Amino acid sequence: MPLEPLLSPSAAVVILAVIYVLGIISDRIADTLFHKIWSDDLRGPHFQNIAEYYNARGLILIRSERLSDLLEYGRSRLRICRGWAFNSLLITISLNTFLWTNFADKSAVWSISILSTISLLVFAFAAWFAWQKLVKTEYQKIKEQAGLFSRVESEGWRVVGPS
């Protein structure tokens, strides 16, 4: 099959669109899996349930543009780590499938497969570990910041700027 048509600008638009949709699908799958497996355990020390977390997060989003921006920045980092943890596993499977089905020299395939699998699994673990730490930090910060806003409102504090 000639590769020239696949490298044309019109094909690039279609390929990029497909890659974009696959990225969204893989993000949603990873989010669902991570949420089902780890979310309650990580959220538990800070919030009794998901509704309490969403209320606290909503309070921050409404009350402070600066804290909202920081929250969104942190969430982007979470998505990147979660995505790489999940995608590293998919890449491991894809790479090994490619290696074992396309190369006749099985001794070379063994070496490449073992090295790449170990490397990708270590990378997946590191990304998962970073994701977990970022999630814990996010929950802690949201709890603290929302608590501060709640105290300000309940106690009637008045913020005084420079005169």
Side-chain angles (χ1 to χ4, degrees), residues 126-147:
W128 169 82
F129 182 79
W131 169 83
Q132 189 179 42
K133 291 295 185 185
L134 289 167
V135 167
K136 288 178 182 179
T137 300
E138 177 186 278
Y139 286 143
Q140 180 183 356
K141 285 182 179 180
I142 289 175
K143 181 78 170 183
E144 291 169 0
Q145 292 165 355

Side-chain angles (χ1 to χ4, degrees), residues 105-116:
D105 183 4
K106 298 304 179 195
S107 64
V109 170
W110 270 107
S111 299
I112 296 168
S113 177
I114 290 171
L115 179 63
S116 62

